[in-house]
Amino acid sequence: MRLPAYLTTLFFASVLTACGGGGDPVASSSTDGEDSTGDTGASVDSTVVVGNAEIGTGSGEGYQDGALEITSSALSAGGSTLISANIVDADNDNQLVTTQEYSVVFSSACAAEGKAVFSESDKFVSSGRVTVNYTASGCEGEDEITFTIYNSENGAADVTEVQSVAKGTVSIAPQEIGTILYVGTETPAISIKTIGNATIPKQSVLVFQVLDKDGNPVANREVTFGLSVSTGGIELSQNSVFTNDNGEVQAIVNAGTSHATTSVIASTTATDGENIISTTSSGISVTTGIVDQDSFEIVTDILNPGGYDYSGEVITVSANAADQFQNPVPDGTVINFTAESGVIESTCETVGGTCSVTWYSSGVRPGNADAGLQRVNELDPFDSSTIRGMTTIMAYTIGEHGFTDSNNNGMYDIGEPFVSYAEPFRDDDWDSVHDTNGSTAVEFFADFDANGARDAAPAVYQGALCSEAAKAAGHCAGLSYIGDSLRIVQSERTRLVDSVRYFVSNRDGSIEEVSGSSYSRYFYVVLQDGNGNIPHLGSSMTAGAEGYEVAGGGDVPNSPGFINQNASPTGIPVNRGAVFGVAATRTDGDRGPLEISATNDAGILTSTIWMRENPTVTFYYRSGNGDQNADGDARDLGEDFQVYTGQKLASPAVVYAVLQDPDFGSLPSYVTFNATQAGDATIAQGVKQGPLDIAEFPVEVVGFGADVYEITVTQGTDPVVALEFDVEFTGGWFSSSALVDFL
């Protein structure tokens, strides 16, 4: 390739310079890519052996041994600078060494403490010049920088002998305080100092951090502390602390003698020495950490599992626990569990005031235990039969009973209201009585003092927080077990829903069971399994009828299934089950029965009930026309009897109310008729009769199944009166009237 004339000239000038020609020397190129600018002096001939390597600045006559070339020796907080040095041969007029590799190690006091950073800790160079970037990172004041060179070959340094050292100093301005932060605490709740509680400490350690305006930690900065609340003697272990290398300080809060919530205010002085920068921690709760009876409960996700005839049905039972002040008890509080039947995990430890265990169906179900065990079970209040499958689960733990803090001093004082409880027991028959056989308990109880007997409620307050006067009076002598129970029902799962029952509301408010048919179109439909219990969760019911718009049905609720637990006479007369409201409204077309489909894991049970049309009422009177068709009797309509449509009658007028069923012909026995009034006339109603009970009555017209009531109306002063009457039946009633016109 042929070069342009001006490049050819430069090329030969460079060659002459490299061979020691006249003029100033030109710096050799850096083999490792580092900046090689500066006073480098003449290059060393490649055939020259280095006699005495030194490190400093410059080269030749301008060489300064042991010095460093620092771009900016005065740095702001967090600032950076380039630092360079040359490696020369002192035995060869301090010329740059370009024929020998050396290892250069960078160090400083601040770097050793992590308060300054070199872009690299060491490097291998063979160009005779070395450069590194230095960044202050929390360092303040003067920091001496050291470059140390060692012989090396092929990237391996010989650190047994130092060849030369160069030093320089940078001055770093103090950090400008930017902010103080609350980092956090692992103990947001501490125990009142007069209470011994293994799961909650009496001190809380809070961490704060001071940062400069660049976000770097500030060391050796004094931070002062204060409390937002010091009720009951809450105090700090120290009022001021200096930050560590991470800019962090710790404030230690010591509990007082009463319940309170406090926070720590941390402050430090700004860079100007005048302004104060502060921050506040999150709240620290000083509490008992002891479970309070009225703050303890257990719940479950399923109240009617299909576990009566299936083992391994699983539910989760959870305990929620808080102390006297409704604060969650400390993590690790142990809750104990026991169950009347099945298998339940024995304990759980709270996290955030709650924990859970698993129960699953197994073993002998309640109501089926051997009589010799003398177990007790709930009884159905309607027929006194044993309720099978009803299962009590109990949880208990160490706690206190509870008081009303009338003066708000956080402790029980003499005269303040309090409650006291006997040792908790698992009420298997749910009658609120601890059952025994003589002196032998047949229901489990939590024996706190292990004396083998269930202790009655004491006359003193059992708790942890008492005034000295209250303690002297015998209160707060100790804690006790507190507990809670729930009931689940183990419903059948492998068999169809056993029964579909229909109930209707009467005029007097009572509720009555019906079957087969009903005049009502509004029903309480009750589903029950073979034990009379609510079907298992996951069961459902649908309702429909041809010729009707039907509303009602849905999923079986999550419930133990009590409908009328105490056999109230105004409630549905059944103890347990799943109850649904069903309403039918007549539409067009043919009519069909109300059809109920009950679905569970085993399949579908279908049940029906006919909805009757209301009875009709027709009035007749005795016309006395005799045997008009000469057939030997006067039973034909229009002969001895006619339909009364307002014909004038002599007083006392006698009319006959005839009740008929438009669908079935025969009326059920529960249908009744009652004439109530007729203006100022007096009325007398006879007893119910059949059509055959009245001579010459038109039986073929009214039918054999009709009901007949003879009514005598005696005129007062009104020439025409309205004979008012009610027709009442199971599930409803209606009222109407008929005019009676007197001669």
Side-chain angles (χ1 to χ4, degrees):
M1 178 180 67
R2 188 172 182 180
L3 298 174
Y6 72 91
L7 289 181
T8 305
T9 302
L10 290 175
F11 173 78
F12 282 107
S14 299
V15 171
L16 289 174
T17 301
C19 294
D24 292 334
V26 176
S28 62
S29 61
S30 173
T31 60
D32 56 6
E34 287 295 334
D35 179 20
S36 59
T37 59
D39 184 11
T40 61
S43 299
V44 178
D45 190 279
S46 60
T47 62
V48 177
V49 177
V50 177
N52 183 14
E54 299 287 353
I55 187 168
T57 60
S59 62
E61 293 180 359
Y63 174 72
Q64 294 183 4
D65 187 42
L68 293 176
E69 180 184 326
I70 302 175
T71 303
S72 176
S73 60
L75 300 179
S76 63
S80 299
T81 186
L82 287 174
I83 305 175
S84 303
N86 291 336
I87 301 173
V88 302
D89 185 355
D91 292 345
N92 189 21
D93 298 328
N94 295 325
Q95 301 302 307
L96 281 178
V97 177
T98 60
T99 59
Q100 176 68 45
E101 179 184 85
Y102 290 94
S103 170
V104 185
V105 176
F106 315 110
S107 61
S108 80
C110 283
E113 296 175 0
K115 298 179 181 179
V117 178
F118 292 101
S119 56
E120 45 197 323
S121 60
D122 63 275
K123 62 170 35 177
F124 295 95
V125 297
S126 58
S127 64
R129 184 167 178 80
V130 60
T131 300
V132 73
N133 186 75
Y134 170 94
T135 301
S137 181
C139 187
E140 292 184 11
E142 292 189 345
D143 189 21
E144 185 178 64
I145 314 298
T146 302
F147 284 20
T148 304
I149 63 171
Y150 301 92
N151 287 326
S152 66
E153 183 176 353
N154 297 325
D158 179 7
V159 296
T160 60
E161 182 179 356
V162 175
Q163 297 300 308
S164 181
V165 174
K167 296 178 182 291
T169 301
V170 293
S171 179
I172 305 157
Q175 291 174 283
E176 292 187 60
I177 302 301
T179 186
I180 181 169
L181 303 176
Y182 171 57
V183 177
T185 181
E186 294 183 356
T187 51
I190 55 179
S191 171
I192 292 172
K193 69 180 181 181
T194 56
I195 296 175
N197 192 325
T199 59
I200 185 170
K202 293 179 174 59
Q203 286 186 333
S204 179
V205 178
L206 298 87
V207 178
F208 298 86
Q209 186 179 36
V210 179
L211 301 176
D212 66 16
K213 290 187 176 180
D214 295 317
N216 299 311
V218 179
N220 300 316
R221 176 67 58 172
E222 184 178 20
V223 177
T224 59
F225 304 120
L227 290 172
S228 61
V229 173
S230 57
T231 302
I234 304 172
E235 60 184 5
L236 292 159
S237 293
Q238 294 176 289
N239 293 323
S240 66
V241 178
F242 285 86
T243 57
N244 61 18
D245 290 345
N246 292 323
E248 294 180 341
V249 291
Q250 291 183 341
I252 300 176
V253 177
N254 296 299
T257 58
S258 64
H259 177 261
T261 297
T262 190
S263 58
V264 175
I265 304 167
S267 305
T268 190
T269 305
T271 306
D272 60 11
E274 296 181 2
N275 292 317
I276 302 298
I277 301 173
S278 300
T279 191
T280 303
S281 73
S282 59
I284 302 299
S285 176
V286 182
T287 186
T288 66
I290 297 174
V291 184
D292 177 53
Q293 175 62 67
D294 65 3
S295 306
F296 181 70
E297 70 165 349
I298 59 172
V299 295
T300 182
D301 59 338
I302 302 176
L303 291 164
N304 47 328
Y308 185 80
D309 53 354
Y310 177 83
S311 294
E313 188 77 354
V314 175
I315 67 172
T316 298
V317 182
S318 300
N320 300 314
D323 62 17
Q324 166 76 16
F325 308 103
Q326 308 311 127
N327 303 133
V329 296
D331 293 353
T333 299
V334 176
I335 311 296
N336 306 286
F337 291 85
T338 176
E340 179 183 359
S341 170
V343 177
I344 193 167
E345 293 176 286
S346 59
T347 63
C348 66
E349 295 185 8
T350 61
V351 175
T354 186
C355 65
S356 301
V357 296
T358 297
W359 174 95
Y360 59 87
S361 57
S362 180
V364 177
R365 276 46 170 185
N368 298 323
D370 191 294
L373 296 174
Q374 301 177 7
R375 300 284 169 80
V376 293
N377 299 100
E378 293 93 330
L379 299 179
D380 188 313
F382 288 96
D383 59 13
S384 298
S385 62
T386 296
I387 299 177
R388 303 184 186 278
M390 197 64 66
T391 306
T392 302
I393 296 174
M394 172 186 170
Y396 63 97
T397 189
I398 296 174
E400 55 186 357
H401 287 173
F403 70 95
T404 299
D405 190 9
S406 301
N407 60 7
N408 203 36
N409 67 348
M411 60 185 68
Y412 173 73
D413 296 293
I414 294 176
E416 289 181 325
F418 71 91
V419 289
S420 183
Y421 299 97
E423 289 177 317
F425 73 99
R426 193 187 66 220
D427 194 359
D428 292 345
D429 58 357
W430 213 257
D431 63 353
S432 301
V433 175
H434 184 233
D435 292 297
T436 61
N437 180 19
S439 61
T440 302
V442 295
E443 289 178 313
F444 168 84
F445 68 94
D447 191 3
F448 183 77
D449 55 5
N451 66 353
R454 181 172 181 255
D455 297 327
V460 294
Y461 172 62
Q462 291 178 294
L465 299 177
C466 279
S467 65
E468 292 302 320
K471 290 180 181 178
H475 301 282
C476 287
L479 300 175
S480 64
Y481 279 137
I482 57 97
D484 189 36
S485 296
L486 60 80
R487 282 189 297 181
I488 63 171
V489 59
Q490 298 187 56
S491 303
E492 291 182 339
R493 172 179 173 180
T494 63
R495 290 187 283 272
L496 291 175
V497 171
D498 185 74
S499 63
V500 177
R501 301 171 67 181
Y502 303 88
F503 297 84
V504 294
S505 294
N506 293 323
R507 184 180 186 181
D508 62 2
S510 64
I511 299 176
E512 188 173 345
E513 186 171 8
V514 295
S515 61
S517 66
S518 172
Y519 287 109
S520 177
R521 295 177 185 175
Y522 304 91
F523 299 91
Y524 299 106
V525 178
V526 175
L527 309 185
Q528 293 177 305
D529 71 4
N531 292 316
N533 293 320
I534 185 173
H536 67 78
L537 186 66
S539 304
S540 62
M541 188 273 277
T542 59
E546 183 180 1
Y548 294 89
E549 181 180 335
V550 179
D555 295 330
V556 168
N558 186 8
S559 167
F562 285 103
I563 297 174
N564 190 346
Q565 190 165 350
N566 299 314
S568 168
T570 60
I572 300 175
V574 63
N575 182 242
R576 307 174 314 286
V579 59
F580 298 89
V582 175
T585 303
R586 185 75 170 96
T587 60
D588 296 331
D590 295 336
R591 293 164 50 224
L594 176 65
E595 183 174 287
I596 302 297
S597 295
T599 303
N600 69 354
D601 281 1
I604 301 175
L605 174 71
T606 300
S607 172
T608 59
I609 186 170
W610 280 93
M611 293 175 287
R612 294 174 178 256
E613 294 293 323
N614 283 348
T616 61
V617 179
T618 306
F619 285 91
Y620 290 77
Y621 76 102
R622 189 181 294 272
S623 60
N625 293 331
D627 186 6
Q628 297 292 308
N629 60 3
D631 62 355
D633 63 54
R635 292 181 180 276
D636 296 318
L637 188 61
E639 294 183 332
D640 221 13
F641 281 90
Q642 293 191 52
V643 175
Y644 182 70
T645 58
Q647 296 90 336
K648 288 182 177 294
L649 300 176
S651 178
V654 178
V655 293
Y656 296 83
V658 178
L659 279 65
Q660 296 171 283
D661 187 294
D663 292 324
F664 293 85
S666 297
L667 285 164
S669 60
Y670 54 72
V671 178
T672 61
F673 176 91
N674 184 36
T676 56
Q677 64 180 17
D680 67 348
T682 59
I683 55 176
Q685 176 178 313
V687 298
K688 179 174 67 174
Q689 302 178 78
L692 294 176
D693 297 327
I694 304 171
E696 307 300 334
F697 205 78
V699 177
E700 292 185 1
V701 175
V702 302
F704 292 97
D707 293 341
V708 182
Y709 295 85
E710 182 180 312
I711 304 167
T712 302
V713 184
T714 303
Q715 184 178 15
T717 60
D718 296 333
V720 179
V721 295
L723 175 60
E724 299 179 15
F725 60 89
D726 295 337
V727 177
E728 196 169 334
F729 40 80
T730 300
W733 62 281
F734 67 87
S735 297
S736 189
S737 63
L739 293 178
V740 177
D741 192 359
F742 293 104
L743 290 172

